Amino acid sequence: MRVEPQQLKAFLLDAGLVTEKQFAEALSQAQKKNQRVGDVLVAKGLISQQKLIKLEAYILGIPFIDLEKEKVPPDVLKIIPEPIAKSHNIVAFHQKGKNLEVAMLDPEDLKTIDFIKKKTDLRILPRLTTPQGIKNVLRQYEESLQAEFNEIIQKEGTRLHLVKEKEEKLGKEELKKAAQELPVIKIVDTLLKHAILQRASDIHIEPMEKEVLVRYRIDGILHDAMTLPAQIKTGIVTRIKVLSNLKLDEHRLPQDGRFKIEGENYKYSCRVSILPVLNGEKVVMRLLPEQSRGYSLEGLGMRGNALEEVQQNLRKPIGMILVTGPTGSGKTTTLYSMMEILNTPQVNISTVEDPIEYRMPRVNQTQVNPKIGLTFASGLRSLLRQDPDIIMVGEIRDKETASLAVNAALTGHLVLSTLHTNSAAATIPRLLNMGIEPFLLSSTLDIVLAQRLVRKLCDDKKKYYLKDKELRNLKKSCDITRITDILREEKILKKGQTIKDIPFYRPFPTKSCGDGYKGRIGIYEVLPVYETIKRLINEGATADVIEERAKKDGMRLMVEDGFIKAAQGITSLEEVLRVIVE
């Protein structure tokens, strides 16, 4: 059911939409880049996307539906779960009896059509639509959730008011009963469901004087999600305490706990932190997928020589690989991606983590628990007696853990761990300051990765070119001459061009893509410990000296990797500079 290039060519030429030469050039470009010729024609501005899809629908004999301004009834919308709709670009928009009309981008996705048919027991009638039409309908999932939430508040307003009058006098049993009976169960469930659908990593519930503010951290940035009436703050906190098995009548001390949340298409572990503040208790919930997401190093954004160096060091049976960066920079995800590569039946992998963020099959994962004396150091000491081949230590925080990790690498293990430093080169002086002997470090350390996460631009974005003033400002924070040379090496800059000749992009906020960003990708600097670096370690060199030597050896800085991704339209220069400064 795919439209063949020659079929498309015949209709386009008959309609006078393109010339034979234009089609031939587009076809040649499509074949080189493994793209559809129609997409190339759209990119060149020779035909609109909607007109192309209408034409393809006509050729295939599938009706076309324009959903860009269509409002879908909520009961029809919910027939296809949002995760399925988002991952397969398929939405339900009309139902009549046993017939369900669905709009999609790929009419060849028979597997998804069959899945929906079995799940709903309805006759599925596929229709072609545009990506913008799909985006419009997907946005309506969020709107229906907000409407559902407002309905809970309005419907249960009287009962919520009664809790407000009693909340100061409620004892432990009364609090537990209130949390189980009141509509706060629906409210907390809705907050969690909404956060998962919006890809939030954290939920902040903050009591104010006259209201409760709920914020979601999405792609590393906090966004206001909604405000709730102040009278339900006690009920919400109590409900979360019940789920996390915390003390209900403790309001003066911080508490930490966990619970799990499961849906038809997701399974999350929720890490809870409760802290007393001026107007009550603030709750922060970290949402952690129960299963590893199966990331690859390429999928995380690693590329070129940096990727090859990491892959080469992962093939070594012994040594130490460190990933550095601030909190929230994706270090643990990078380590899990490495373990995905290393996780084979021939090796025993053991970890000591705080917390265990993803569960991995065939990996022996240990959760740190300082309350009972199970620290990174004691856990590492114990698992060394478990005959491991590969060890992952969640974080090196002190001299004892650092010494044990180095000795493990020295005695025939591959050790993966993280450290909090601002650059790859700064990792070495940090470990030396912890008391690690230079000769031991130079003998065991194989490679250091420093990383940050930058937000990815949506498909709709604004093109611009650097002007003299912007270039002068950039020169204050990075070496433009070196970056220009790197862009030439990457074939982004052609002979005779300067950095002012290549397009960069800024976010273009839309209803379907919020602030113009969606998802994140890593920017990296990868420091292999060559003989030149080993000599500097033994000499006790500073981070600046080590970085300069590494650059001569071929290392690219994070800001330089960020420039490449910005020049490729993946992210914006503003986003790269934001995370580097942070």
Side-chain angles (χ1 to χ4, degrees), residues 317-320 380 384-385 387-389 391 403-415 440 443-444:
I318 63 173
M320 188 158 62
L380 177 53
L384 281 170
R385 295 192 286 272
D387 186 33
D389 299 291
I391 298 167
S403 298
L404 285 166
V406 168
N407 285 326
L410 200 63
T411 55
H413 305 88
L414 180 61
V415 179
L440 287 176
S443 302
T444 54

Coordinates of all heavy atoms in Angstrom, one line a residue, residues 317-320 380 384-385 387-389 391 403-415 440 443-444:
P317 N 38.3 -5.7 29.4 CA 37.8 -6.5 30.5 C 38.0 -5.8 31.8 O 37.3 -6.2 32.8 CB 38.6 -7.8 30.4 CG 39.9 -7.4 29.7 CD 39.5 -6.3 28.8
I318 N 39.0 -5.0 32.0 CA 39.3 -4.3 33.2 C 39.5 -2.8 33.0 O 39.8 -2.4 31.9 CB 40.5 -5.0 33.9 CG1 41.8 -4.7 33.1 CG2 40.3 -6.4 34.2 CD1 43.1 -5.2 33.8
G319 N 39.5 -2.1 34.1 CA 39.7 -0.6 34.1 C 38.5 0.1 34.7 O 37.6 -0.4 35.3
M320 N 38.6 1.4 34.5 CA 37.5 2.3 35.1 C 37.0 3.3 34.1 O 37.8 4.0 33.4 CB 38.1 3.0 36.4 CG 37.0 3.7 37.2 SD 37.5 4.0 38.9 CE 39.0 5.0 38.7
L380 N 30.0 -1.8 48.0 CA 31.1 -2.2 47.1 C 32.0 -3.3 47.6 O 32.4 -4.2 46.9 CB 31.8 -0.9 46.7 CG 33.0 -1.1 45.7 CD1 32.6 -1.8 44.4 CD2 33.6 0.3 45.3
L384 N 32.2 -7.2 46.0 CA 33.5 -7.7 45.4 C 33.7 -9.2 45.8 O 34.5 -9.9 45.1 CB 34.7 -6.9 46.0 CG 34.9 -5.5 45.3 CD1 35.9 -4.7 46.1 CD2 35.3 -5.7 43.8
R385 N 33.0 -9.7 46.8 CA 33.1 -11.1 47.2 C 32.0 -11.9 46.4 O 31.9 -13.1 46.7 CB 32.8 -11.2 48.7 CG 34.0 -10.6 49.5 CD 33.9 -11.0 51.0 NE 32.8 -10.3 51.7 CZ 32.9 -9.2 52.3 NH1 34.0 -8.5 52.3 NH2 31.9 -8.6 52.9
D387 N 32.0 -12.4 43.1 CA 32.6 -12.8 41.9 C 32.1 -12.0 40.7 O 31.7 -12.6 39.7 CB 32.4 -14.3 41.6 CG 33.1 -14.8 40.4 OD1 34.2 -14.3 40.1 OD2 32.6 -15.7 39.7
P388 N 32.1 -10.6 40.8 CA 31.6 -9.8 39.6 C 32.7 -9.7 38.5 O 33.9 -9.7 38.8 CB 31.3 -8.5 40.3 CG 32.3 -8.4 41.4 CD 32.6 -9.8 41.9
D389 N 32.2 -9.5 37.3 CA 33.1 -9.1 36.2 C 33.0 -7.6 36.0 O 34.0 -7.0 35.7 CB 32.7 -9.9 34.9 CG 32.8 -11.4 35.0 OD1 33.9 -11.9 35.1 OD2 31.7 -12.0 35.1
I391 N 31.3 -4.0 37.6 CA 30.7 -3.3 38.8 C 30.3 -1.9 38.4 O 31.0 -1.2 37.7 CB 31.8 -3.2 39.9 CG1 32.2 -4.6 40.3 CG2 31.2 -2.5 41.1 CD1 33.5 -4.6 41.2
S403 N 38.8 4.7 46.6 CA 39.9 3.8 46.8 C 39.4 2.4 46.4 O 40.1 1.6 45.7 CB 40.4 3.8 48.2 OG 40.9 5.1 48.5
L404 N 38.2 2.0 46.9 CA 37.7 0.7 46.6 C 37.5 0.5 45.1 O 37.8 -0.6 44.5 CB 36.4 0.4 47.4 CG 36.6 0.1 48.9 CD1 35.2 0.3 49.6 CD2 37.1 -1.2 49.1
A405 N 36.9 1.5 44.4 CA 36.7 1.5 43.0 C 38.0 1.3 42.2 O 38.1 0.5 41.3 CB 35.9 2.7 42.5
V406 N 39.0 2.1 42.6 CA 40.3 2.0 41.9 C 40.9 0.6 42.1 O 41.5 0.0 41.2 CB 41.3 3.1 42.4 CG1 42.7 2.9 42.0 CG2 40.8 4.5 41.9
N407 N 40.9 0.1 43.4 CA 41.4 -1.2 43.7 C 40.7 -2.3 42.9 O 41.3 -3.3 42.5 CB 41.4 -1.5 45.2 CG 42.5 -0.7 45.9 OD1 43.6 -0.5 45.3 ND2 42.2 -0.2 47.1
A408 N 39.4 -2.2 42.8 CA 38.6 -3.2 42.0 C 39.0 -3.2 40.6 O 39.1 -4.2 39.9 CB 37.1 -2.8 42.1
A409 N 39.2 -2.0 40.0 CA 39.7 -1.9 38.6 C 41.1 -2.5 38.5 O 41.4 -3.1 37.4 CB 39.7 -0.5 38.1
L410 N 41.9 -2.3 39.5 CA 43.3 -2.8 39.5 C 43.4 -4.3 39.6 O 44.3 -4.9 39.1 CB 44.0 -2.2 40.6 CG 45.6 -2.1 40.6 CD1 46.0 -1.3 39.4 CD2 46.1 -1.6 41.9
T411 N 42.3 -4.9 40.2 CA 42.4 -6.4 40.5 C 41.5 -7.2 39.5 O 41.1 -8.3 39.8 CB 41.9 -6.7 41.9 OG1 40.6 -6.1 42.2 CG2 42.9 -6.1 42.9
G412 N 41.2 -6.6 38.3 CA 40.6 -7.4 37.3 C 39.1 -7.2 37.1 O 38.5 -8.1 36.6
H413 N 38.6 -6.0 37.4 CA 37.2 -5.8 37.2 C 37.0 -4.5 36.3 O 37.9 -3.7 36.3 CB 36.4 -5.5 38.5 CG 36.6 -6.6 39.5 ND1 37.6 -6.6 40.4 CD2 35.8 -7.7 39.8 CE1 37.5 -7.7 41.2 NE2 36.4 -8.4 40.8
L414 N 35.9 -4.5 35.5 CA 35.6 -3.3 34.8 C 34.6 -2.5 35.7 O 33.6 -3.0 36.1 CB 34.9 -3.6 33.5 CG 34.5 -2.4 32.6 CD1 35.7 -1.6 32.2 CD2 33.7 -2.8 31.4
V415 N 35.0 -1.3 36.1 CA 34.2 -0.5 37.0 C 33.6 0.7 36.3 O 34.3 1.5 35.6 CB 35.1 0.0 38.2 CG1 34.3 0.9 39.2 CG2 35.7 -1.2 38.9
L440 N 48.3 4.9 40.8 CA 47.1 4.0 40.7 C 46.1 4.5 39.8 O 45.5 3.7 39.0 CB 46.5 3.8 42.1 CG 47.3 3.0 43.2 CD1 46.6 3.0 44.5 CD2 47.5 1.6 42.7
S443 N 47.0 4.1 36.2 CA 47.0 2.6 35.8 C 45.6 2.1 35.5 O 45.5 1.1 34.9 CB 47.7 1.8 36.8 OG 49.0 2.2 37.1
T444 N 44.6 2.7 36.2 CA 43.3 2.1 36.1 C 42.3 2.9 35.3 O 41.3 2.3 34.7 CB 42.7 2.0 37.6 OG1 42.8 3.3 38.2 CG2 43.5 1.0 38.3

